[in-house]
PDB file of all heavy atoms in Angstrom:
ATOM      1  N   ASN C  22     122.348  97.749  92.448  1.00  0.00           N
ATOM      2  CA  ASN C  22     122.651  97.892  93.869  1.00  0.00           C
ATOM      3  C   ASN C  22     121.441  97.553  94.743  1.00  0.00           C
ATOM      4  O   ASN C  22     121.172  98.203  95.744  1.00  0.00           O
ATOM      5  CB  ASN C  22     123.127  99.325  94.164  1.00  0.00           C
ATOM      6  CG  ASN C  22     124.430  99.632  93.469  1.00  0.00           C
ATOM      7  OD1 ASN C  22     125.426  98.966  93.728  1.00  0.00           O
ATOM      8  ND2 ASN C  22     124.443 100.613  92.592  1.00  0.00           N
ATOM      9  N   GLY C  23     120.682  96.546  94.272  1.00  0.00           N
ATOM     10  CA  GLY C  23     119.609  96.045  95.132  1.00  0.00           C
ATOM     11  C   GLY C  23     118.378  96.907  95.176  1.00  0.00           C
ATOM     12  O   GLY C  23     117.719  96.986  96.197  1.00  0.00           O
ATOM     13  N   GLY C  24     118.021  97.569  94.064  1.00  0.00           N
ATOM     14  CA  GLY C  24     116.769  98.319  94.017  1.00  0.00           C
ATOM     15  C   GLY C  24     116.870  99.669  94.652  1.00  0.00           C
ATOM     16  O   GLY C  24     115.998 100.079  95.401  1.00  0.00           O
ATOM     17  N   ASP C  25     117.945 100.409  94.377  1.00  0.00           N
ATOM     18  CA  ASP C  25     118.119 101.729  94.985  1.00  0.00           C
ATOM     19  C   ASP C  25     117.454 102.834  94.205  1.00  0.00           C
ATOM     20  O   ASP C  25     117.656 104.005  94.478  1.00  0.00           O
ATOM     21  CB  ASP C  25     119.609 102.037  95.160  1.00  0.00           C
ATOM     22  CG  ASP C  25     120.346 102.135  93.823  1.00  0.00           C
ATOM     23  OD1 ASP C  25     119.691 101.929  92.778  1.00  0.00           O
ATOM     24  OD2 ASP C  25     121.555 102.422  93.829  1.00  0.00           O
ATOM     25  N   GLY C  26     116.611 102.422  93.180  1.00  0.00           N
ATOM     26  CA  GLY C  26     115.882 103.439  92.423  1.00  0.00           C
ATOM     27  C   GLY C  26     116.766 104.234  91.508  1.00  0.00           C
ATOM     28  O   GLY C  26     116.392 105.286  91.029  1.00  0.00           O
ATOM     29  N   GLY C  27     117.966 103.764  91.262  1.00  0.00           N
ATOM     30  CA  GLY C  27     118.858 104.469  90.359  1.00  0.00           C
ATOM     31  C   GLY C  27     119.654 105.554  91.058  1.00  0.00           C
ATOM     32  O   GLY C  27     120.360 106.319  90.422  1.00  0.00           O
ATOM     33  N   ALA C  28     119.560 105.631  92.375  1.00  0.00           N
ATOM     34  CA  ALA C  28     120.225 106.721  93.104  1.00  0.00           C
ATOM     35  C   ALA C  28     121.733 106.700  92.929  1.00  0.00           C
ATOM     36  O   ALA C  28     122.382 107.726  92.978  1.00  0.00           O
ATOM     37  CB  ALA C  28     119.865 106.632  94.587  1.00  0.00           C
ATOM     38  N   SER C  29     122.299 105.518  92.748  1.00  0.00           N
ATOM     39  CA  SER C  29     123.744 105.423  92.602  1.00  0.00           C
ATOM     40  C   SER C  29     124.164 105.396  91.145  1.00  0.00           C
ATOM     41  O   SER C  29     125.295 105.071  90.832  1.00  0.00           O
ATOM     42  CB  SER C  29     124.247 104.159  93.305  1.00  0.00           C
ATOM     43  OG  SER C  29     123.690 103.005  92.698  1.00  0.00           O
ATOM     44  N   GLY C  30     123.271 105.727  90.241  1.00  0.00           N
ATOM     45  CA  GLY C  30     123.595 105.779  88.825  1.00  0.00           C
ATOM     46  C   GLY C  30     123.200 104.539  88.066  1.00  0.00           C
ATOM     47  O   GLY C  30     123.272 104.524  86.840  1.00  0.00           O
ATOM     48  N   SER C  31     122.781 103.486  88.745  1.00  0.00           N
ATOM     49  CA  SER C  31     122.342 102.271  88.055  1.00  0.00           C
ATOM     50  C   SER C  31     120.889 102.418  87.634  1.00  0.00           C
ATOM     51  O   SER C  31     120.146 103.229  88.179  1.00  0.00           O
ATOM     52  CB  SER C  31     122.496 101.068  88.987  1.00  0.00           C
ATOM     53  OG  SER C  31     121.661 101.221  90.121  1.00  0.00           O
ATOM     54  N   LYS C  32     120.509 101.619  86.645  1.00  0.00           N
ATOM     55  CA  LYS C  32     119.118 101.647  86.193  1.00  0.00           C
ATOM     56  C   LYS C  32     118.262 100.720  87.042  1.00  0.00           C
ATOM     57  O   LYS C  32     118.727  99.673  87.504  1.00  0.00           O
ATOM     58  CB  LYS C  32     119.044 101.222  84.726  1.00  0.00           C
ATOM     59  CG  LYS C  32     119.619 102.235  83.754  1.00  0.00           C
ATOM     60  CD  LYS C  32     119.372 101.769  82.322  1.00  0.00           C
ATOM     61  CE  LYS C  32     119.853 102.810  81.322  1.00  0.00           C
ATOM     62  NZ  LYS C  32     119.601 102.391  79.928  1.00  0.00           N
ATOM     63  N   VAL C  33     117.024 101.099  87.217  1.00  0.00           N
ATOM     64  CA  VAL C  33     116.062 100.257  87.911  1.00  0.00           C
ATOM     65  C   VAL C  33     115.543  99.216  86.933  1.00  0.00           C
ATOM     66  O   VAL C  33     115.107  99.553  85.830  1.00  0.00           O
ATOM     67  CB  VAL C  33     114.891 101.097  88.452  1.00  0.00           C
ATOM     68  CG1 VAL C  33     113.814 100.194  89.053  1.00  0.00           C
ATOM     69  CG2 VAL C  33     115.386 102.101  89.475  1.00  0.00           C
ATOM     70  N   LYS C  34     115.600  97.968  87.326  1.00  0.00           N
ATOM     71  CA  LYS C  34     115.112  96.900  86.462  1.00  0.00           C
ATOM     72  C   LYS C  34     113.614  96.707  86.691  1.00  0.00           C
ATOM     73  O   LYS C  34     113.154  96.595  87.828  1.00  0.00           O
ATOM     74  CB  LYS C  34     115.870  95.601  86.724  1.00  0.00           C
ATOM     75  CG  LYS C  34     117.339  95.657  86.298  1.00  0.00           C
ATOM     76  CD  LYS C  34     118.000  94.312  86.442  1.00  0.00           C
ATOM     77  CE  LYS C  34     119.467  94.385  86.012  1.00  0.00           C
ATOM     78  NZ  LYS C  34     119.616  94.701  84.579  1.00  0.00           N
ATOM     79  N   LEU C  35     112.870  96.669  85.592  1.00  0.00           N
ATOM     80  CA  LEU C  35     111.431  96.447  85.627  1.00  0.00           C
ATOM     81  C   LEU C  35     111.068  95.335  84.646  1.00  0.00           C
ATOM     82  O   LEU C  35     111.804  95.073  83.693  1.00  0.00           O
ATOM     83  CB  LEU C  35     110.674  97.714  85.232  1.00  0.00           C
ATOM     84  CG  LEU C  35     110.888  98.974  86.069  1.00  0.00           C
ATOM     85  CD1 LEU C  35     110.209 100.162  85.403  1.00  0.00           C
ATOM     86  CD2 LEU C  35     110.343  98.781  87.481  1.00  0.00           C
ATOM     87  N   THR C  36     109.940  94.728  84.885  1.00  0.00           N
ATOM     88  CA  THR C  36     109.386  93.783  83.923  1.00  0.00           C
ATOM     89  C   THR C  36     108.130  94.396  83.322  1.00  0.00           C
ATOM     90  O   THR C  36     107.395  95.126  83.998  1.00  0.00           O
ATOM     91  CB  THR C  36     109.042  92.438  84.577  1.00  0.00           C
ATOM     92  OG1 THR C  36     108.110  92.651  85.642  1.00  0.00           O
ATOM     93  CG2 THR C  36     110.293  91.759  85.117  1.00  0.00           C
ATOM     94  N   ALA C  37     107.878  94.100  82.059  1.00  0.00           N
ATOM     95  CA  ALA C  37     106.686  94.639  81.393  1.00  0.00           C
ATOM     96  C   ALA C  37     106.230  93.680  80.313  1.00  0.00           C
ATOM     97  O   ALA C  37     107.032  92.945  79.722  1.00  0.00           O
ATOM     98  CB  ALA C  37     106.982  96.011  80.789  1.00  0.00           C
ATOM     99  N   LEU C  38     104.956  93.702  80.067  1.00  0.00           N
ATOM    100  CA  LEU C  38     104.338  92.899  79.011  1.00  0.00           C
ATOM    101  C   LEU C  38     103.570  93.832  78.093  1.00  0.00           C
ATOM    102  O   LEU C  38     102.895  94.750  78.559  1.00  0.00           O
ATOM    103  CB  LEU C  38     103.403  91.856  79.623  1.00  0.00           C
ATOM    104  CG  LEU C  38     102.651  90.909  78.686  1.00  0.00           C
ATOM    105  CD1 LEU C  38     102.406  89.572  79.382  1.00  0.00           C
ATOM    106  CD2 LEU C  38     101.308  91.496  78.220  1.00  0.00           C
ATOM    107  N   ILE C  39     103.669  93.598  76.796  1.00  0.00           N
ATOM    108  CA  ILE C  39     102.914  94.389  75.826  1.00  0.00           C
ATOM    109  C   ILE C  39     102.152  93.467  74.889  1.00  0.00           C
ATOM    110  O   ILE C  39     102.678  92.448  74.427  1.00  0.00           O
ATOM    111  CB  ILE C  39     103.838  95.331  75.025  1.00  0.00           C
ATOM    112  CG1 ILE C  39     103.013  96.203  74.065  1.00  0.00           C
ATOM    113  CG2 ILE C  39     104.928  94.562  74.288  1.00  0.00           C
ATOM    114  CD1 ILE C  39     103.815  97.307  73.394  1.00  0.00           C
ATOM    115  N   THR C  40     100.897  93.807  74.652  1.00  0.00           N
ATOM    116  CA  THR C  40     100.127  93.120  73.617  1.00  0.00           C
ATOM    117  C   THR C  40     100.286  93.938  72.348  1.00  0.00           C
ATOM    118  O   THR C  40      99.830  95.072  72.276  1.00  0.00           O
ATOM    119  CB  THR C  40      98.643  93.013  74.003  1.00  0.00           C
ATOM    120  OG1 THR C  40      98.089  94.314  74.182  1.00  0.00           O
ATOM    121  CG2 THR C  40      98.489  92.227  75.304  1.00  0.00           C
ATOM    122  N   LYS C  41     100.959  93.379  71.362  1.00  0.00           N
ATOM    123  CA  LYS C  41     101.283  94.139  70.159  1.00  0.00           C
ATOM    124  C   LYS C  41     100.762  93.423  68.926  1.00  0.00           C
ATOM    125  O   LYS C  41     100.418  92.239  68.952  1.00  0.00           O
ATOM    126  CB  LYS C  41     102.786  94.372  70.055  1.00  0.00           C
ATOM    127  CG  LYS C  41     103.606  93.108  69.824  1.00  0.00           C
ATOM    128  CD  LYS C  41     105.082  93.427  69.606  1.00  0.00           C
ATOM    129  CE  LYS C  41     105.816  92.216  69.053  1.00  0.00           C
ATOM    130  NZ  LYS C  41     107.219  92.477  68.734  1.00  0.00           N
ATOM    131  N   HIS C  42     100.737  94.161  67.827  1.00  0.00           N
ATOM    132  CA  HIS C  42     100.259  93.618  66.564  1.00  0.00           C
ATOM    133  C   HIS C  42     101.267  92.621  66.003  1.00  0.00           C
ATOM    134  O   HIS C  42     102.482  92.781  66.184  1.00  0.00           O
ATOM    135  CB  HIS C  42     100.049  94.765  65.566  1.00  0.00           C
ATOM    136  CG  HIS C  42      99.264  94.375  64.372  1.00  0.00           C
ATOM    137  ND1 HIS C  42      99.826  93.764  63.270  1.00  0.00           N
ATOM    138  CD2 HIS C  42      97.944  94.485  64.083  1.00  0.00           C
ATOM    139  CE1 HIS C  42      98.903  93.536  62.365  1.00  0.00           C
ATOM    140  NE2 HIS C  42      97.746  93.964  62.843  1.00  0.00           N
ATOM    141  N   PRO C  43     100.797  91.575  65.305  1.00  0.00           N
ATOM    142  CA  PRO C  43     101.725  90.585  64.740  1.00  0.00           C
ATOM    143  C   PRO C  43     102.765  91.185  63.789  1.00  0.00           C
ATOM    144  O   PRO C  43     103.857  90.641  63.642  1.00  0.00           O
ATOM    145  CB  PRO C  43     100.807  89.613  63.992  1.00  0.00           C
ATOM    146  CG  PRO C  43      99.501  89.710  64.699  1.00  0.00           C
ATOM    147  CD  PRO C  43      99.395  91.146  65.125  1.00  0.00           C
ATOM    148  N   LEU C  44     102.434  92.302  63.148  1.00  0.00           N
ATOM    149  CA  LEU C  44     103.388  92.920  62.233  1.00  0.00           C
ATOM    150  C   LEU C  44     104.516  93.653  62.952  1.00  0.00           C
ATOM    151  O   LEU C  44     105.576  93.903  62.375  1.00  0.00           O
ATOM    152  CB  LEU C  44     102.670  93.917  61.317  1.00  0.00           C
ATOM    153  CG  LEU C  44     101.745  93.367  60.232  1.00  0.00           C
ATOM    154  CD1 LEU C  44     101.054  94.527  59.522  1.00  0.00           C
ATOM    155  CD2 LEU C  44     102.504  92.510  59.239  1.00  0.00           C
ATOM    156  N   THR C  45     104.298  94.025  64.206  1.00  0.00           N
ATOM    157  CA  THR C  45     105.213  94.914  64.898  1.00  0.00           C
ATOM    158  C   THR C  45     106.548  94.243  65.188  1.00  0.00           C
ATOM    159  O   THR C  45     106.592  93.132  65.713  1.00  0.00           O
ATOM    160  CB  THR C  45     104.586  95.404  66.208  1.00  0.00           C
ATOM    161  OG1 THR C  45     103.332  96.031  65.913  1.00  0.00           O
ATOM    162  CG2 THR C  45     105.487  96.409  66.903  1.00  0.00           C
ATOM    163  N   GLN C  46     107.621  94.941  64.862  1.00  0.00           N
ATOM    164  CA  GLN C  46     108.967  94.409  65.054  1.00  0.00           C
ATOM    165  C   GLN C  46     109.308  94.269  66.530  1.00  0.00           C
ATOM    166  O   GLN C  46     108.593  94.749  67.406  1.00  0.00           O
ATOM    167  CB  GLN C  46     109.996  95.315  64.389  1.00  0.00           C
ATOM    168  CG  GLN C  46     110.114  96.693  65.050  1.00  0.00           C
ATOM    169  CD  GLN C  46     111.091  97.607  64.347  1.00  0.00           C
ATOM    170  OE1 GLN C  46     111.754  97.219  63.401  1.00  0.00           O
ATOM    171  NE2 GLN C  46     111.191  98.844  64.802  1.00  0.00           N
ATOM    172  N   GLU C  47     110.430  93.612  66.803  1.00  0.00           N
ATOM    173  CA  GLU C  47     110.875  93.444  68.181  1.00  0.00           C
ATOM    174  C   GLU C  47     111.118  94.810  68.829  1.00  0.00           C
ATOM    175  O   GLU C  47     111.642  95.726  68.207  1.00  0.00           O
ATOM    176  CB  GLU C  47     112.166  92.628  68.214  1.00  0.00           C
ATOM    177  CG  GLU C  47     112.000  91.204  67.714  1.00  0.00           C
ATOM    178  CD  GLU C  47     113.332  90.479  67.649  1.00  0.00           C
ATOM    179  OE1 GLU C  47     114.340  91.044  68.117  1.00  0.00           O
ATOM    180  OE2 GLU C  47     113.359  89.355  67.128  1.00  0.00           O
ATOM    181  N   LEU C  48     110.741  94.906  70.080  1.00  0.00           N
ATOM    182  CA  LEU C  48     110.873  96.178  70.789  1.00  0.00           C
ATOM    183  C   LEU C  48     112.327  96.630  70.895  1.00  0.00           C
ATOM    184  O   LEU C  48     112.604  97.829  70.964  1.00  0.00           O
ATOM    185  CB  LEU C  48     110.261  96.064  72.188  1.00  0.00           C
ATOM    186  CG  LEU C  48     108.778  96.435  72.304  1.00  0.00           C
ATOM    187  CD1 LEU C  48     107.906  95.591  71.394  1.00  0.00           C
ATOM    188  CD2 LEU C  48     108.302  96.313  73.748  1.00  0.00           C
ATOM    189  N   SER C  49     113.243  95.696  70.892  1.00  0.00           N
ATOM    190  CA  SER C  49     114.661  96.046  70.998  1.00  0.00           C
ATOM    191  C   SER C  49     115.149  96.866  69.811  1.00  0.00           C
ATOM    192  O   SER C  49     116.198  97.514  69.890  1.00  0.00           O
ATOM    193  CB  SER C  49     115.509  94.776  71.121  1.00  0.00           C
ATOM    194  OG  SER C  49     115.355  93.951  69.967  1.00  0.00           O
ATOM    195  N   LYS C  50     114.393  96.891  68.728  1.00  0.00           N
ATOM    196  CA  LYS C  50     114.783  97.630  67.532  1.00  0.00           C
ATOM    197  C   LYS C  50     114.210  99.047  67.509  1.00  0.00           C
ATOM    198  O   LYS C  50     114.472  99.796  66.565  1.00  0.00           O
ATOM    199  CB  LYS C  50     114.338  96.873  66.275  1.00  0.00           C
ATOM    200  CG  LYS C  50     114.985  95.499  66.125  1.00  0.00           C
ATOM    201  CD  LYS C  50     114.490  94.785  64.874  1.00  0.00           C
ATOM    202  CE  LYS C  50     115.140  93.411  64.731  1.00  0.00           C
ATOM    203  NZ  LYS C  50     114.655  92.688  63.532  1.00  0.00           N
ATOM    204  N   MET C  51     113.425  99.399  68.517  1.00  0.00           N
ATOM    205  CA  MET C  51     112.768 100.701  68.539  1.00  0.00           C
ATOM    206  C   MET C  51     113.639 101.716  69.271  1.00  0.00           C
ATOM    207  O   MET C  51     113.737 101.695  70.501  1.00  0.00           O
ATOM    208  CB  MET C  51     111.392 100.598  69.200  1.00  0.00           C
ATOM    209  CG  MET C  51     110.445  99.680  68.440  1.00  0.00           C
ATOM    210  SD  MET C  51     108.821  99.562  69.240  1.00  0.00           S
ATOM    211  CE  MET C  51     108.047  98.314  68.187  1.00  0.00           C
ATOM    212  N   THR C  52     114.263 102.616  68.531  1.00  0.00           N
ATOM    213  CA  THR C  52     115.177 103.598  69.116  1.00  0.00           C
ATOM    214  C   THR C  52     114.480 104.476  70.140  1.00  0.00           C
ATOM    215  O   THR C  52     115.010 104.750  71.223  1.00  0.00           O
ATOM    216  CB  THR C  52     115.791 104.461  68.005  1.00  0.00           C
ATOM    217  OG1 THR C  52     116.463 103.610  67.069  1.00  0.00           O
ATOM    218  CG2 THR C  52     116.770 105.464  68.577  1.00  0.00           C
ATOM    219  N   TRP C  53     113.283 104.946  69.809  1.00  0.00           N
ATOM    220  CA  TRP C  53     112.567 105.857  70.699  1.00  0.00           C
ATOM    221  C   TRP C  53     112.309 105.209  72.054  1.00  0.00           C
ATOM    222  O   TRP C  53     112.345 105.893  73.098  1.00  0.00           O
ATOM    223  CB  TRP C  53     111.249 106.313  70.071  1.00  0.00           C
ATOM    224  CG  TRP C  53     110.211 105.229  69.991  1.00  0.00           C
ATOM    225  CD1 TRP C  53     109.931 104.419  68.929  1.00  0.00           C
ATOM    226  CD2 TRP C  53     109.306 104.823  71.039  1.00  0.00           C
ATOM    227  NE1 TRP C  53     108.929 103.536  69.241  1.00  0.00           N
ATOM    228  CE2 TRP C  53     108.532 103.758  70.527  1.00  0.00           C
ATOM    229  CE3 TRP C  53     109.099 105.244  72.346  1.00  0.00           C
ATOM    230  CZ2 TRP C  53     107.550 103.115  71.283  1.00  0.00           C
ATOM    231  CZ3 TRP C  53     108.119 104.606  73.111  1.00  0.00           C
ATOM    232  CH2 TRP C  53     107.353 103.553  72.566  1.00  0.00           C
ATOM    233  N   LEU C  54     112.044 103.891  72.064  1.00  0.00           N
ATOM    234  CA  LEU C  54     111.727 103.196  73.310  1.00  0.00           C
ATOM    235  C   LEU C  54     112.959 103.101  74.204  1.00  0.00           C
ATOM    236  O   LEU C  54     112.879 103.348  75.419  1.00  0.00           O
ATOM    237  CB  LEU C  54     111.173 101.803  73.008  1.00  0.00           C
ATOM    238  CG  LEU C  54     110.843 100.931  74.215  1.00  0.00           C
ATOM    239  CD1 LEU C  54     109.852 101.615  75.138  1.00  0.00           C
ATOM    240  CD2 LEU C  54     110.298  99.573  73.757  1.00  0.00           C
ATOM    241  N   GLN C  55     114.096 102.775  73.607  1.00  0.00           N
ATOM    242  CA  GLN C  55     115.316 102.707  74.397  1.00  0.00           C
ATOM    243  C   GLN C  55     115.670 104.070  74.978  1.00  0.00           C
ATOM    244  O   GLN C  55     116.106 104.188  76.130  1.00  0.00           O
ATOM    245  CB  GLN C  55     116.479 102.188  73.542  1.00  0.00           C
ATOM    246  CG  GLN C  55     117.757 101.936  74.328  1.00  0.00           C
ATOM    247  CD  GLN C  55     117.536 100.976  75.490  1.00  0.00           C
ATOM    248  OE1 GLN C  55     117.113  99.846  75.297  1.00  0.00           O
ATOM    249  NE2 GLN C  55     117.813 101.430  76.715  1.00  0.00           N
ATOM    250  N   GLU C  56     115.448 105.118  74.183  1.00  0.00           N
ATOM    251  CA  GLU C  56     115.722 106.468  74.671  1.00  0.00           C
ATOM    252  C   GLU C  56     114.797 106.830  75.832  1.00  0.00           C
ATOM    253  O   GLU C  56     115.217 107.478  76.805  1.00  0.00           O
ATOM    254  CB  GLU C  56     115.573 107.468  73.522  1.00  0.00           C
ATOM    255  CG  GLU C  56     116.650 107.329  72.445  1.00  0.00           C
ATOM    256  CD  GLU C  56     116.391 108.218  71.240  1.00  0.00           C
ATOM    257  OE1 GLU C  56     115.259 108.757  71.126  1.00  0.00           O
ATOM    258  OE2 GLU C  56     117.305 108.366  70.408  1.00  0.00           O
ATOM    259  N   ALA C  57     113.531 106.418  75.744  1.00  0.00           N
ATOM    260  CA  ALA C  57     112.583 106.698  76.830  1.00  0.00           C
ATOM    261  C   ALA C  57     112.989 105.957  78.105  1.00  0.00           C
ATOM    262  O   ALA C  57     112.897 106.501  79.215  1.00  0.00           O
ATOM    263  CB  ALA C  57     111.172 106.305  76.400  1.00  0.00           C
ATOM    264  N   GLU C  58     113.415 104.716  77.974  1.00  0.00           N
ATOM    265  CA  GLU C  58     113.883 103.962  79.131  1.00  0.00           C
ATOM    266  C   GLU C  58     115.107 104.640  79.750  1.00  0.00           C
ATOM    267  O   GLU C  58     115.219 104.750  80.977  1.00  0.00           O
ATOM    268  CB  GLU C  58     114.217 102.523  78.731  1.00  0.00           C
ATOM    269  CG  GLU C  58     113.002 101.674  78.367  1.00  0.00           C
ATOM    270  CD  GLU C  58     113.368 100.217  78.135  1.00  0.00           C
ATOM    271  OE1 GLU C  58     114.383  99.750  78.695  1.00  0.00           O
ATOM    272  OE2 GLU C  58     112.646  99.527  77.382  1.00  0.00           O
ATOM    273  N   ASP C  59     116.023 105.098  78.896  1.00  0.00           N
ATOM    274  CA  ASP C  59     117.238 105.755  79.400  1.00  0.00           C
ATOM    275  C   ASP C  59     116.896 107.016  80.190  1.00  0.00           C
ATOM    276  O   ASP C  59     117.451 107.265  81.270  1.00  0.00           O
ATOM    277  CB  ASP C  59     118.167 106.098  78.233  1.00  0.00           C
ATOM    278  CG  ASP C  59     118.809 104.864  77.603  1.00  0.00           C
ATOM    279  OD1 ASP C  59     118.775 103.788  78.237  1.00  0.00           O
ATOM    280  OD2 ASP C  59     119.319 104.977  76.476  1.00  0.00           O
ATOM    281  N   ARG C  60     115.993 107.816  79.646  1.00  0.00           N
ATOM    282  CA  ARG C  60     115.624 109.061  80.340  1.00  0.00           C
ATOM    283  C   ARG C  60     114.945 108.774  81.677  1.00  0.00           C
ATOM    284  O   ARG C  60     115.090 109.538  82.633  1.00  0.00           O
ATOM    285  CB  ARG C  60     114.711 109.911  79.451  1.00  0.00           C
ATOM    286  CG  ARG C  60     115.431 110.615  78.315  1.00  0.00           C
ATOM    287  CD  ARG C  60     114.526 111.652  77.661  1.00  0.00           C
ATOM    288  NE  ARG C  60     113.332 111.046  77.089  1.00  0.00           N
ATOM    289  CZ  ARG C  60     113.231 110.564  75.851  1.00  0.00           C
ATOM    290  NH1 ARG C  60     114.287 110.600  75.047  1.00  0.00           N
ATOM    291  NH2 ARG C  60     112.110 110.036  75.421  1.00  0.00           N
ATOM    292  N   ALA C  61     114.204 107.685  81.737  1.00  0.00           N
ATOM    293  CA  ALA C  61     113.510 107.329  82.976  1.00  0.00           C
ATOM    294  C   ALA C  61     114.424 106.579  83.947  1.00  0.00           C
ATOM    295  O   ALA C  61     114.041 106.359  85.098  1.00  0.00           O
ATOM    296  CB  ALA C  61     112.279 106.481  82.659  1.00  0.00           C
ATOM    297  N   GLY C  62     115.599 106.180  83.479  1.00  0.00           N
ATOM    298  CA  GLY C  62     116.523 105.454  84.340  1.00  0.00           C
ATOM    299  C   GLY C  62     116.079 104.040  84.640  1.00  0.00           C
ATOM    300  O   GLY C  62     116.307 103.531  85.750  1.00  0.00           O
ATOM    301  N   VAL C  63     115.453 103.395  83.652  1.00  0.00           N
ATOM    302  CA  VAL C  63     114.970 102.032  83.858  1.00  0.00           C
ATOM    303  C   VAL C  63     115.502 101.107  82.772  1.00  0.00           C
ATOM    304  O   VAL C  63     115.850 101.541  81.668  1.00  0.00           O
ATOM    305  CB  VAL C  63     113.422 101.970  83.873  1.00  0.00           C
ATOM    306  CG1 VAL C  63     112.867 102.832  85.003  1.00  0.00           C
ATOM    307  CG2 VAL C  63     112.829 102.395  82.530  1.00  0.00           C
ATOM    308  N   ASP C  64     115.578  99.856  83.090  1.00  0.00           N
ATOM    309  CA  ASP C  64     115.941  98.802  82.147  1.00  0.00           C
ATOM    310  C   ASP C  64     114.813  97.786  82.196  1.00  0.00           C
ATOM    311  O   ASP C  64     114.631  97.106  83.216  1.00  0.00           O
ATOM    312  CB  ASP C  64     117.277  98.175  82.543  1.00  0.00           C
ATOM    313  CG  ASP C  64     117.698  97.065  81.582  1.00  0.00           C
ATOM    314  OD1 ASP C  64     117.167  97.023  80.457  1.00  0.00           O
ATOM    315  OD2 ASP C  64     118.553  96.239  81.974  1.00  0.00           O
ATOM    316  N   ILE C  65     114.043  97.697  81.115  1.00  0.00           N
ATOM    317  CA  ILE C  65     112.816  96.901  81.137  1.00  0.00           C
ATOM    318  C   ILE C  65     113.011  95.575  80.413  1.00  0.00           C
ATOM    319  O   ILE C  65     113.473  95.527  79.272  1.00  0.00           O
ATOM    320  CB  ILE C  65     111.645  97.683  80.502  1.00  0.00           C
ATOM    321  CG1 ILE C  65     111.409  98.982  81.281  1.00  0.00           C
ATOM    322  CG2 ILE C  65     110.376  96.832  80.498  1.00  0.00           C
ATOM    323  CD1 ILE C  65     110.278  99.831  80.719  1.00  0.00           C
TER     324      ILE C  65
END
């Protein structure tokens, strides 16, 4: 809804960059990370 901060129930979209180890799997496979995004009301 145009950056309403999640007030209407939508998630706030953010962009982020991470410097990670070559061994580290794709972030989309990390359950804890998705749960943290959900609790914060963001979609990164």
Side-chain angles (χ1 to χ4, degrees):
N22 295 299
D25 64 358
S29 62
S31 63
K32 290 185 176 181
V33 174
K34 292 186 180 296
L35 301 172
T36 58
L38 180 150
I39 183 171
T40 60
K41 67 175 194 176
H42 194 276
L44 289 175
T45 304
Q46 67 183 356
E47 296 175 7
L48 269 58
S49 61
K50 298 179 180 179
M51 298 180 185
T52 302
W53 70 264
L54 178 57
Q55 186 56 59
E56 292 173 347
E58 291 187 26
D59 289 344
R60 285 192 299 271
V63 300
D64 180 19
I65 300 179

